[in-house]
Amino acid sequence: MQRFLRLFLLVAVPVLFALAVYTQDKPVHAAGDAKSRNDGVSLEADGRDVLVVDGDTIVIDNVVADIAGIDAPELGQQCLHNGSFWDCGMSSAMQLRKYFAMAPFKVHCWPGDAERSNKPGDFPIVECGIGERDVAAAMISDGEALPIPGYSHRYDNLSAVADNAGIGIHGGDMVPPADWRDGKRLNGEAGRCLFVPTPDKHYVGTLDPRFDKVKRTETPQICSDEQARDLGYDYLAPAP
């Protein structure tokens, strides 16, 4: 009897712990949770009208916003695959732009969990969906972004599957985006900063159609959205 009780406790305790964690996991608005979609004010736009700044930052309905729950390689970041560097940051941004450009439905974004988004700055944190497709989940499944730990167990599981399969950024060497923003680079990686500052304390990225036309300054050198915000720069959002 005692042996049975010990065996029961060995099995039951981990299961109960996992259930407790799971039940506390916040539903993701873009993942088919209709009830949570009614909380807060949503943004809406045709996919072709969504401007992609980088792999996890967009401009939708004239609002610059971060996609909650993911951290994508920075726009100028490179990864190493089979001994060769490739522009994984640009790849991530282009994949995100592809999702929106080919969207068969309107893009909807809802307020995300800013407290657990692990992203500094004043940009709104949003969870975006195209029909029933969760954009953040798609980015993680395609190996174009990492999940922010603890934001969604679903995201963590999708990343583990992508990692096991060596998909996208999991198929080689990469500096975690947060460390890259702090200045860490792979040996031999080209240092590229693909945002430019303007005289009126704004900045624009290379994927913005206004990039070649905007009046710019030589300094400061801006390598990421987070760095720009730390310096007090705002993204040059389209006029309302």
Side-chain angles (χ1 to χ4, degrees), residues 69-183:
I70 63 172
D71 198 7
E74 294 301 328
L75 197 59
Q77 186 171 352
Q78 294 185 314
C79 299
L80 190 63
H81 180 70
N82 291 335
S84 299
F85 285 101
W86 63 287
D87 297 322
C88 53
M90 184 61 71
S91 171
S92 175
M94 295 302 290
Q95 182 65 26
L96 184 60
R97 187 159 75 171
K98 178 181 174 183
Y99 291 154
F100 294 129
M102 300 179 66
F105 308 102
K106 281 188 177 293
V107 177
H108 288 87
C109 296
W110 299 267
D113 187 344
E115 183 178 348
R116 289 197 288 174
S117 70
N118 199 31
K119 291 191 175 187
D122 297 326
F123 285 9
I125 306 296
V126 296
E127 296 168 355
C128 296
I130 302 171
E132 292 300 315
R133 189 181 199 189
D134 179 351
V135 172
M139 288 289 287
I140 293 170
S141 294
D142 288 344
E144 300 290 354
L146 298 175
I148 291 175
Y151 191 89
S152 166
H153 291 304
R154 177 172 179 250
Y155 290 178
D156 295 339
N157 292 336
L158 290 173
S159 184
V161 172
D163 187 21
N164 289 336
I167 298 173
I169 56 178
H170 301 287
D173 296 326
M174 182 191 73
V175 173
D179 293 338
W180 196 91
R181 291 191 290 270
D182 288 337

Side-chain angles (χ1 to χ4, degrees), residues 121-123 197-203 220 222 224-235:
D122 297 326
F123 285 9
T198 69
D200 58 352
K201 298 285 284 187
H202 289 90
Y203 69 103
I222 298 177
S224 69
D225 273 313
E226 288 79 1
Q227 180 189 2
R229 294 175 225 177
D230 288 342
L231 293 172
Y233 282 72
D234 296 316
Y235 195 82

